[in-house]
Amino acid sequence: MTKIAVFAGGHLTSFPRDFAVFVGVARGSLAILRNDLPLDLAVGDFDSVTAAERQLIQEKAKMVITAVPEKDDTDTELALKVIFAKYPQAQVSLFGAFGGRIDHTLANLFLPSDPDLAPFMHRIRLQDEQNVVQFYPAGVCQVFPEKGMPYVSFMAEGDAPLTIEGAKYNLDANHFFTKKVYASNAFIGQPITVTLDSGYLIVIHSKDR
């Protein structure tokens, strides 16, 4: 399993180094270079960088994939498709997925809605210093705690009901209510079991500032 760090153009606060491959999404490529990390791959239309910055990316990146701005994918979606085509067993951590444009944040939260990325949803992890987001396909899944993240929230893509077992606040036939986001739950010393009939599950681990 290849561990790959992807740096997007949102708010970046941490730059971990224990990855085998570093990928920059458009402006995220500059963050990699400024933190003395290897830029193994740069992907995007690069319309958010200056001509000088683009030249720097071209010179420093081991590989550059340039897209036209008029495309169906976001730059992040395109980068992930390139990664999984080359590394189908990769475990991808996406940094800079939040804190920028709201439309980009929402696109990142719903990455598995893209049919090409859906088979790899369990290999994609969005994270910053305050949040970790994971994706699970429909069915029964076990969710484990993330160190330093006391809260866990659940969101079902689509309209299918979900059940939550083994958490501080369970959601089952005896106590069921419908919401889009079931927020501010917590672990009680064991994994949480979530059942979802269709679509996919978005799990958000978080902490206060």
Side-chain angles (χ1 to χ4, degrees):
M1 181 179 67
T2 305
K3 290 179 62 179
I4 299 178
V6 179
F7 290 79
H11 184 53
L12 288 163
T13 55
S14 60
F15 301 91
R17 299 178 179 272
D18 56 338
F19 289 88
V21 178
F22 291 84
V23 179
V25 178
R27 191 165 189 82
S29 304
L30 297 173
I32 292 177
L33 295 176
R34 288 167 181 164
N35 284 272
D36 296 320
L37 295 168
L39 182 54
D40 297 300
L41 172 65
V43 181
D45 54 33
F46 301 101
D47 60 357
S48 59
V49 302
T50 66
E53 290 170 335
R54 185 167 181 170
Q55 181 62 35
L56 177 65
I57 292 169
Q58 292 280 352
E59 292 173 357
K60 297 293 185 179
K62 295 178 183 177
M63 177 183 291
V64 178
I65 295 179
T66 303
V68 297
E70 300 81 8
K71 59 187 184 301
D72 294 333
D73 297 324
T74 66
D75 286 341
T76 300
E77 290 168 342
L78 177 60
L80 290 173
K81 291 179 183 182
V82 170
I83 288 168
F84 287 119
K86 187 173 183 179
Y87 304 97
Q89 300 302 315
Q91 185 69 44
V92 176
S93 294
L94 175 59
F95 302 91
F98 317 122
R101 285 170 46 182
I102 291 177
D103 57 338
H104 285 172
T105 296
L106 289 173
N108 292 333
L109 283 174
F110 292 99
L111 283 169
S113 297
D114 188 311
D116 294 330
L117 295 177
F120 304 101
M121 69 173 75
H122 201 45
R123 299 185 178 277
I124 302 171
R125 171 187 175 97
L126 282 53
Q127 67 184 91
D128 61 12
E129 291 183 344
Q130 195 176 358
N131 309 278
V132 172
V133 176
Q134 299 167 309
F135 305 104
Y136 295 84
V140 181
C141 67
Q142 280 198 313
V143 180
F144 294 84
E146 288 285 328
K147 184 177 180 181
M149 302 283 178
Y151 307 113
V152 61
S153 303
F154 304 94
M155 178 165 56
E157 183 277 333
D159 298 323
L162 57 81
T163 62
I164 301 170
E165 301 173 274
K168 184 177 181 180
Y169 308 109
N170 288 334
L171 186 70
D172 52 32
N174 295 321
H175 181 69
F176 186 85
F177 59 98
T178 301
K179 295 189 75 172
K180 188 59 182 177
V181 182
Y182 298 92
S184 300
N185 213 324
F187 291 88
I188 53 172
Q190 61 184 356
I192 296 173
T193 301
V194 182
T195 304
L196 180 66
D197 291 338
S198 63
Y200 61 88
L201 178 69
I202 303 170
V203 178
I204 305 170
H205 303 265
S206 58
K207 66 179 181 180
D208 294 316
R209 291 189 184 277

